[in-house]
């Protein structure tokens, strides 16, 4: 359980618990990106609508899609590795799983494109939470059919997603350091996942 706590320094975590500790770091990095993206959208919508350009809103939408997906996906990965009672280590599959996952993600993308095209529309503040909920749900459903033995590779992919959400945040906030650090994180996570595969 000690390895499951985020506040514990990595040097105090047993080597066998480092993957789930890393997954938790990614989870909270993704959550931070998602929350920043959400706050920026509503701040701009209510106080600075001139900032809601197609580019900025597109970056915000990418940020929340990847950020919230990383959050729940990484929590699931950490739970599977930690053998939390309510998260089974074995793959959980059901009929039509791929269709349901694809449908959820497609709906989230359609809403994201709609908000990106008309960010100042009166319905946009209501579509944004729907994108968030769909992203959170998709993160769970994306990871649940993968067995615990494959979680280190999954964590590497989620690392890439967290990096890409940081890149999107950097574009939305016009912060070159975030773009650079996120791109390094995203590319290294992808390379690591490919090597592990």
């Amino acid at each position: 359980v000690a390895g499951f706590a985020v506040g514990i320094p990595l040097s105090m975590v047993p080597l066998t618990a480092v993957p789930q500790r890393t997954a938790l770091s990614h989870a909270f990095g993704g959550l931070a990106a998602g929350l920043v993206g959400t706050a920026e959208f509503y701040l701009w919508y209510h106080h600075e609508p001139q900032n809601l350009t197609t580019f900025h809103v597109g970056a915000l939408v990418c940020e929340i899609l990847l950020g919230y997906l990383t959050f729940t996906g990484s929590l699931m990965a950490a739970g599977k590795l930690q053998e939390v009672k309510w998260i089974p280590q074995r793959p959980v599959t059901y009929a039509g799983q791929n269709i349901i996952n694809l449908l959820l993600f497609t709906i989230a993308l359609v809403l994201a494109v709609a908000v990106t095209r008309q960010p100042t529309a009166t319905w946009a503040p209501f579509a944004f939470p729907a994108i968030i909920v769909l992203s959170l749900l998709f993160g769970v459903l994306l990871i649940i059919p993968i067995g615990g033995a494959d979680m280190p590779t999954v964590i590497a992919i989620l690392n890439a997603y967290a990096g890409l959400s940081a890149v999107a945040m950097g574009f939305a906030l016009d912060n070159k350091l975030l773009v650079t650090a996120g791109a390094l994180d995203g590319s290294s996570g992808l390379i690591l996942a490919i090597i592990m595969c």
Side-chain angles (χ1 to χ4, degrees):
V1 175
F4 200 76
V6 175
I8 295 176
L10 194 56
S11 62
M12 296 177 64
V13 175
L15 283 176
T16 55
V18 168
Q20 52 264 48
R21 172 62 172 76
T22 304
L24 286 176
S25 294
H26 296 156
F28 290 103
L31 179 62
L35 290 174
V36 167
T38 304
E40 284 298 314
F41 176 79
Y42 285 105
L43 178 71
W44 289 345
Y45 184 86
H46 292 295
H47 301 291
E48 301 174 45
Q50 70 276 8
N51 286 337
L52 291 174
T53 63
T54 302
F55 177 78
H56 280 117
V57 176
L60 288 176
V61 164
C62 288
E63 182 182 340
I64 65 157
L65 279 170
L66 291 167
Y68 288 120
L69 180 156
T70 301
F71 174 61
T72 53
S74 295
L75 287 180
M76 295 301 297
K80 279 182 177 259
L81 285 169
Q82 190 65 28
E83 299 180 16
V84 175
K85 290 180 183 176
W86 49 272
I87 302 176
Q89 269 200 312
R90 62 173 176 70
V92 176
T93 57
Y94 52 88
Q97 185 170 31
N98 291 337
I99 295 169
I100 290 171
N101 287 356
L102 187 61
L103 185 63
L104 279 176
F105 194 66
T106 303
I107 293 169
L109 282 179
V110 166
L111 286 172
V113 169
V115 169
T116 302
R117 292 185 62 165
Q118 296 182 6
T120 56
T122 55
W123 49 264
F126 303 104
F128 216 74
I131 298 169
I132 293 169
V133 169
L134 290 168
S135 298
L136 290 168
L137 186 56
F138 184 70
V140 172
L141 296 178
L142 183 68
I143 304 306
I144 203 79
I146 303 171
D150 293 320
M151 282 304 113
T153 307
V154 169
I155 290 168
I157 284 288
L158 291 168
N159 176 26
Y161 293 167
L164 293 174
S165 68
V167 170
M169 184 179 3
F171 281 124
L173 300 177
D174 196 23
N175 186 315
K176 292 178 179 65
L177 181 60
L178 266 174
V179 173
T180 305
L184 288 170
D185 189 23
S187 59
S188 63
L190 179 62
I191 291 167
L192 179 60
I194 291 169
I195 290 170
M196 291 171 78
C197 285

